[in-house]
């Protein structure tokens, strides 16, 4: 497999509706579904869930 197929670059968008995103990579073998992470949103000023967008 090529590098981009196994660990694609994904965007994590804030569920607070601020439009803030994080960019990261994920391993498709370990996480085939969409990721959800709890991270800091500087626009909202608090920690919120960030979900993978495609």
């Amino acid at each position: 497999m090529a590098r981009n197929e196994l660990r694609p670059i994904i965007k994590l968008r804030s569920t607070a509706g601020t439009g803030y995103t994080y960019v990261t990579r994920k391993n498709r073998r370990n996480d085939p579904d969409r990721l959800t992470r709890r991270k800091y949103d500087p626009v909202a000023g608090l920690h919120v869930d960030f979900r993978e967008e495609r």
Side-chain angles (χ1 to χ4, degrees):
M1 273 191 187
R3 176 182 174 158
N4 290 341
E5 292 178 13
L6 183 60
R7 295 189 65 87
I9 296 172
I10 60 166
K11 285 185 181 178
L12 298 173
R13 183 165 306 270
S14 174
T15 57
T18 60
Y20 192 78
T21 60
Y22 282 97
V23 178
T24 188
R25 291 182 177 272
K26 78 167 192 175
N27 189 327
R28 282 196 176 150
R29 287 185 189 161
N30 296 338
D31 300 309
D33 299 329
R34 291 189 183 188
L35 289 179
T36 301
R37 296 287 184 253
R38 190 159 175 84
K39 296 179 77 66
Y40 183 74
D41 187 343
V43 178
L46 48 100
H47 284 80
V48 296
D49 287 335
F50 279 75
R51 289 200 179 140
E52 175 185 345
E53 70 172 19
R54 293 184 181 166

